[in-house]
Amino acid sequence: MMGRKKEKELPLQSLPPKHKSRAEDNDYKESEANDDPAVQQLNISDESTEEVVIPHTNPLGQWGNQIQFVLSLVAASVGLGNIWRFPYLCQQHGGGVFLIPYTLMLFLEGIPMFYLEVAAGQRRQKGPIGVWKEKSPYMAGIGIGNCVVSFIIGLYYNVIITWCLFYFGNSFQAELPWAKCPVDNGTVVKECELSDSTTYFWHREALNASPSIEEPGVMNWKMTLCLFSTWVVCYLCLCRGIKSAGKVVYVVSIVPYVILTIFLVRGLMLPGASSGLAHILTPKWEKLGDPQVWLDAATQIFFSFGVAFGYLVAFASYSRHNNDCRRDVLLVSFTNYATSIFASVVIFCVLGFKAHTNFNDCLMRDRLVIADYWGSNISSVNDSVVFEMCNNPTDTNNTIVSVINGSSLNLECCQLTKLLDTSAQGTGLAFIVFTQAMLEFPAPPFWSVIFFLMLLTLGVGSQIAIIEGVITTLCHIKAIRLRREIITGIVCGLSFLICLIFVTQAGEYWVKVFDAYGGSLSLMIIAFFEAIALWIYGIDKFSKDIEAMGQKKPNLYWIITWRLAPFLMFAMFAASIVGQIIDPDKYSAWRADKGESVKVEYPVLARLVGSFLVIIVTIWVPVVALIHAISKRRRNLQNEDGAVPDDDSGHSSNEVDDLSNELPLDNDDNGQGETSSTIPVLETK
């Protein structure tokens, strides 16, 4: 951004035509400016490169309309976790009873923190650094932490999108490549024979997985091309800011619901769907006494809402100053909540069908064993015979063995409930379990195409938000005087180079390291600092800021939950640390000789990398606070000749923000605690 120049005041009506057109190009239309009570005047400089100063307006633009803003929040918050994480948690933690802690955490943690970030961004019309610096100069490091953690999460999140793109491309075949095991010289490949076709395709054809994280192996060139393509798409969606991203959200926020509805209609017609729904909805009340259930509910809400990523602040900063953000927050929150339940119904309709199919196959195998022993036709052995033998074994060891005429038969004796309990989450659900279930559908390629299209749109919607949080922060830093297109290109290009580690044979293992440390623990710490920053700034003062935007003063619900926020964030972090101490993180390493994954503890190198990720995210808060304290102390010593020292809040009494002199942050702050965005008229970002 250009430096400040001597300015003269002109009324709005005297703005020259060329300035009006430029203002319109940047979404700052004259009518909207007049409607905003915060807009008092325009200042035009005498120099040839004139500047327009518009209070409470983001210099990087505004949403074309509020529908774009709401859809962007929906696309950002409703992501892959709603599809492959929430249903798994319901299945593991008591079915429908999991909704009790989940709903409670929604109101205690999710909605209040969501509203905090959106309201703060809209009020100050700044990126994360400017918003948190305004709360307290000591807390400006939170904005940098938001930027770094979003960058880290964006790295591995885009790799997941890459995997979806790979499967999406392979779905356009008459016979899906994971439908059958490959044959080598007339013999089924041993690795596939030991597992199954979908598991083999995922670990060998897609990932070419190595036995451990310490064996990176070679790069997967197919995945590398897909990775490059996803970063190109990310650049195209973000290079022009909300002008381009605002158009994309119409697709990425709506298409997933259309596809989910298609799957729901098809799923309800499948045999076994009712069993899947009964399994997921039947409450197991004893689970409420398990602390892990409550922790998982809290963390799922936390990550699903995108708290501490920074993009909520960034998106809100592009909104109109007098927008009813509370309405938008509640609308998006309940949309997210309903989507998780909707997705669970769809997923377990399909998983119920898969369990039903596997159960019938299991019965058929047991009938064949019995018929072979009897020397009769399989038609003479019905299901009731199998049930009788499995339920009344005559051996004394409680093993699944039935004794017939002195001989024993090893029967599988499958149970439908156990098959339903054997579920998966994350990549296991999407790329193994669900792909296997779709093979039983009529026209499997069609269902595979729309399923992975849904995952792609969900992933791209969240990825746009994550990287937008990074770019918005960089665009508000004084020292960076590059156009947005160049900044976006640098971020995407650098990200692609770093992501090459994820397309090696150990790539999936490193994704889990980045997710566990850089994307989980780091976010909890940053969210804790955000809640502390609100305390320092003052909840009452923040409530008045909300009133200043023409909204109702936050009621007692908001006040109480904001006061509880630091304790909830700290409790989540402490519980996670204790959990890791009691049961250290492990990863599933693929063993080709066994055709299965085994749990292995992370080596020292992986833990060191994980610790480094946490440090580079959280270190900025104490570092920036220390820099501010030192500069404040130095200035007070220099002003002992009569100048009034800083007040206790940390803000300079002479309204000069000393932190801006020490760190090149927040290029749209006028140093007076108010937003005054400087927009170059002749060259606007």
Side-chain angles (χ1 to χ4, degrees):
M1 301 294 290
M2 301 178 60
R4 296 187 179 276
K5 301 176 178 63
K6 182 179 179 181
E7 299 168 315
K8 63 181 181 181
E9 298 182 3
L10 286 178
L12 183 63
Q13 291 79 3
S14 62
L15 185 65
K18 64 177 182 179
H19 296 128
K20 289 183 180 180
S21 63
R22 176 55 64 179
E24 290 173 354
D25 288 342
N26 290 279
D27 298 323
Y28 303 119
K29 298 181 180 179
E30 179 181 340
S31 60
E32 294 179 353
N34 283 326
D35 290 339
D36 192 338
V39 179
Q40 303 296 329
Q41 63 181 13
L42 295 177
N43 295 329
I44 310 298
S45 71
D46 290 319
E47 303 297 330
S48 58
T49 55
E50 298 173 301
E51 297 177 343
V52 180
V53 179
I54 304 178
H56 295 304
T57 305
N58 193 319
L60 302 181
Q62 282 186 321
W63 296 106
N65 53 66
Q66 286 309 116
I67 294 179
Q68 288 186 359
F69 173 57
V70 173
L71 290 180
S72 296
L73 292 180
V74 170
S77 61
V78 177
L80 297 172
N82 298 76
I83 303 296
W84 65 28
R85 174 67 174 166
F86 180 82
Y88 170 80
L89 292 177
C90 284
Q91 182 262 344
Q92 290 291 305
H93 295 321
V97 78
F98 181 71
L99 292 178
I100 296 176
Y102 187 78
T103 304
L104 186 61
M105 291 303 171
L106 171 73
F107 286 99
L108 288 179
E109 170 197 21
I111 296 178
M113 292 300 292
F114 196 4
Y115 187 32
L116 165 63
E117 293 197 10
V118 171
Q122 180 175 304
R123 167 61 177 166
R124 294 304 172 188
Q125 301 283 289
K126 298 181 181 181
I129 292 178
V131 164
W132 297 113
K133 186 177 74 174
E134 189 271 342
K135 295 291 178 285
S136 170
Y138 291 102
M139 290 294 180
I142 293 176
I144 305 177
N146 290 146
C147 179
V148 176
V149 75
S150 289
F151 180 76
I152 292 173
I153 294 173
L155 293 175
Y156 70 81
Y157 201 87
N158 210 45
V159 175
I160 298 174
I161 300 174
T162 298
W163 296 337
C164 294
L165 179 61
F166 178 79
Y167 269 77
F168 178 73
N170 277 280
S171 298
F172 290 92
Q173 302 183 37
E175 183 180 46
L176 294 174
W178 52 83
K180 296 179 180 179
C181 284
V183 177
D184 184 19
N185 295 326
T187 304
V188 175
V189 174
K190 186 67 174 179
E191 184 179 356
C192 187
E193 185 179 15
L194 291 172
S195 53
D196 57 68
S197 59
T198 54
T199 304
Y200 171 82
F201 186 87
W202 166 243
H203 287 289
R204 185 55 53 214
E205 297 296 331
L207 300 178
N208 193 22
S210 65
S212 74
I213 195 172
E214 296 176 290
E215 301 177 47
V218 298
M219 287 176 54
N220 186 330
W221 68 269
K222 294 179 181 178
M223 282 296 179
T224 303
L225 291 177
C226 291
L227 177 67
F228 179 77
S229 300
T230 56
W231 280 114
V232 169
V233 170
C234 185
Y235 172 80
L236 294 176
C237 292
L238 292 170
C239 64
R240 298 183 65 239
I242 58 173
K243 290 183 179 179
S244 54
K247 305 298 186 298
V248 176
V249 295
Y250 287 108
V251 176
V252 297
S253 62
I254 296 176
V255 168
Y257 290 98
V258 175
I259 298 177
L260 273 176
T261 303
I262 294 173
F263 267 101
L264 176 63
V265 174
R266 182 69 185 99
L268 290 173
M269 296 187 295
L270 294 172
S274 59
S275 300
L277 291 178
H279 182 76
I280 191 65
L281 296 177
T282 301
K284 300 174 184 176
W285 299 105
E286 66 277 7
K287 288 288 187 177
L288 288 176
D290 186 355
Q292 187 63 39
V293 173
W294 294 85
L295 178 60
D296 284 346
T299 52
Q300 176 63 18
I301 283 288
F302 180 79
F303 297 121
S304 179
F305 277 68
V307 175
F309 281 75
Y311 63 71
L312 295 177
V313 173
F315 277 178
S317 71
Y318 296 126
S319 187
R320 288 183 291 106
H321 182 261
N322 58 354
N323 173 56
D324 188 354
C325 60
R326 184 184 308 176
R327 173 203 61 200
D328 296 341
V329 164
L330 293 176
L331 176 61
V332 174
S333 298
F334 290 119
T335 299
N336 190 329
Y337 180 82
T339 302
S340 295
I341 298 175
F342 182 33
S344 297
V345 171
V346 174
I347 293 297
F348 272 88
C349 279
V350 177
L351 293 185
F353 164 70
K354 178 179 179 294
H356 177 80
T357 302
N358 290 346
F359 179 67
N360 287 336
D361 291 344
C362 180
L363 283 177
M364 182 62 69
R365 289 192 295 270
D366 283 350
R367 289 172 61 192
L368 284 171
V369 171
I370 297 172
D372 182 65
Y373 177 80
W374 284 352
S376 62
N377 191 283
I378 191 173
S379 60
S380 62
V381 181
N382 56 34
D383 294 345
S384 61
V385 174
V386 179
F387 295 149
E388 179 67 23
M389 292 182 178
C390 289
N391 294 329
N392 299 287
T394 59
D395 64 296
T396 59
N397 298 321
N398 286 329
T399 58
I400 305 176
V401 177
S402 297
V403 177
I404 306 174
N405 296 330
S407 300
S408 62
L409 297 177
N410 292 321
L411 302 179
E412 295 181 54
C413 294
C414 298
Q415 298 180 26
L416 183 60
T417 53
K418 289 186 177 181
L419 290 173
L420 287 168
D421 281 333
T422 307
S423 186
Q425 63 170 322
T427 55
L429 174 63
F431 302 115
I432 298 177
V433 176
F434 219 82
T435 52
Q436 187 181 52
M438 289 186 294
L439 291 175
E440 306 296 331
F441 286 16
F446 167 76
W447 296 102
S448 182
V449 166
I450 65 171
F451 175 70
F452 288 108
L453 177 62
M454 178 184 68
L455 296 186
L456 280 173
T457 52
L458 285 169
V460 169
S462 298
Q463 180 71 353
I464 288 174
I466 293 169
I467 302 301
E468 176 61 34
V470 177
I471 295 172
T472 299
T473 302
L474 296 177
C475 288
H476 280 87
I477 294 180
K478 288 181 179 180
I480 300 178
R481 300 176 179 270
L482 301 175
R483 293 179 61 85
R484 181 189 174 93
E485 294 87 345
I486 298 177
I487 294 175
T488 306
I490 292 174
V491 170
C492 293
L494 179 62
S495 299
F496 169 72
L497 294 177
I498 297 175
C499 282
L500 292 178
I501 188 178
F502 300 129
V503 293
T504 62
Q505 290 181 262
E508 185 196 14
Y509 310 143
W510 283 111
V511 166
K512 293 177 180 177
V513 171
F514 273 61
D515 181 41
Y517 291 91
S520 296
L521 293 177
S522 301
L523 281 173
M524 294 180 187
I525 298 173
I526 293 298
F528 170 75
F529 283 127
E530 288 184 0
I532 293 296
L534 179 61
W535 273 32
I536 295 174
Y537 182 72
I539 295 176
D540 292 338
K541 187 176 179 181
F542 183 62
S543 298
K544 293 178 180 178
D545 286 347
I546 294 176
E547 283 188 283
M549 294 188 292
Q551 301 183 40
K552 293 180 181 179
K553 183 178 180 179
N555 56 33
L556 193 60
Y557 161 72
W558 302 106
I559 303 300
I560 293 176
T561 51
W562 284 333
R563 292 192 185 280
L564 290 176
F567 302 102
L568 287 175
M569 297 299 107
F570 181 79
M572 285 175 55
F573 174 74
S576 298
I577 294 297
V578 171
Q580 289 201 15
I581 294 175
I582 297 175
D583 185 17
D585 280 339
K586 298 179 181 180
Y587 69 99
S588 297
W590 178 248
R591 295 289 188 262
D593 56 336
K594 298 180 180 179
E596 62 180 12
S597 296
V598 296
K599 289 290 185 179
V600 180
E601 288 192 5
Y602 283 113
V604 175
L605 175 62
R607 296 189 181 277
L608 289 176
V609 172
S611 301
F612 173 73
L613 293 175
V614 175
I615 291 173
I616 63 172
V617 170
T618 58
I619 193 68
W620 297 102
V621 178
V623 166
V624 172
L626 180 62
I627 291 175
H628 176 73
I630 293 174
S631 61
K632 174 186 172 183
R633 173 65 176 170
R634 184 176 60 194
R635 187 182 59 253
N636 286 342
L637 292 175
Q638 293 173 347
N639 292 340
E640 286 181 351
D641 56 352
V644 181
D646 292 355
D647 57 27
D648 293 336
S649 68
H651 291 279
S652 175
S653 58
N654 61 4
E655 297 185 337
V656 176
D657 192 339
D658 58 299
L659 182 60
S660 294
N661 296 328
E662 301 298 329
L663 293 175
L665 305 178
D666 192 24
N667 61 6
D668 58 354
D669 185 14
N670 66 0
Q672 298 180 0
E674 294 293 328
T675 305
S676 181
S677 303
T678 303
I679 310 169
V681 173
L682 299 181
E683 185 178 357
T684 304
K685 285 188 179 182

